Amino acid sequence: QIQLVESGGGSVQAGGSLRLSCAASGDTSSHYCMGWFRQVRGHEREGVAAIYNATGSQYYADSVNGRFFISHDNAENTLYLQMNSLKPEDTSVYYCVALLIREAGRKSGNYCYTRLPASGTWGQGTQVTVSS
């Protein structure tokens, strides 16, 4: 089992920046997928970014590519999402998701982005509000 605790959400004006953190604890083996997803109440869940920690391979949704940056500190077992040039449409609850990878073979950020929603463990979410 892996436990996830997000932090760093808040309110910011359009054009501003925020950094989200997700501290992982529990069964943190050496290889795992981690990512950020977001959801506005009453709307479909949307992928944001994902990373495979063993290689650092990343994948971004088109809506955030070039503005958001995902990273992972293996020593601290912490996932980050640096969000720049924020827009009002980025307003959402952001969730950290993690999936332990036990099978052999190199994985990509795209692989993680695809597998995480249905197979990963989810954090409790943190609210990000961007005002115009």
Side-chain angles (χ1 to χ4, degrees), residues 29-33 52-55 99-108 111-112 114-116 119:
S29 67
S30 59
H31 295 174
Y32 44 94
C33 288
Y52 182 51
N53 78 314
T55 63
L99 174 65
L100 305 185
I101 302 298
R102 304 190 188 278
E103 62 269 24
R106 293 171 65 90
K107 310 301 180 186
S108 67
Y111 169 88
C112 293
T114 302
R115 280 207 63 189
L116 279 169
S119 303

Side-chain angles (χ1 to χ4, degrees), residues 43-101:
H43 292 73
E44 288 191 3
R45 183 178 59 203
E46 178 186 10
V48 177
I51 187 169
Y52 182 51
N53 78 314
T55 63
S57 177
Q58 302 168 16
Y59 185 87
Y60 295 91
D62 288 343
S63 59
V64 305
N65 197 17
R67 299 188 298 121
F68 290 12
F69 300 94
I70 191 171
S71 61
H72 183 265
D73 185 328
N74 286 337
E76 297 294 329
N77 286 324
T78 301
L79 179 73
Y80 299 99
L81 183 69
Q82 178 65 43
M83 305 185 294
N84 301 326
S85 301
L86 282 160
K87 304 175 181 180
E89 51 263 43
D90 294 319
T91 295
S92 188
V93 177
Y94 284 71
Y95 297 91
C96 172
V97 190
L99 174 65
L100 305 185
I101 302 298

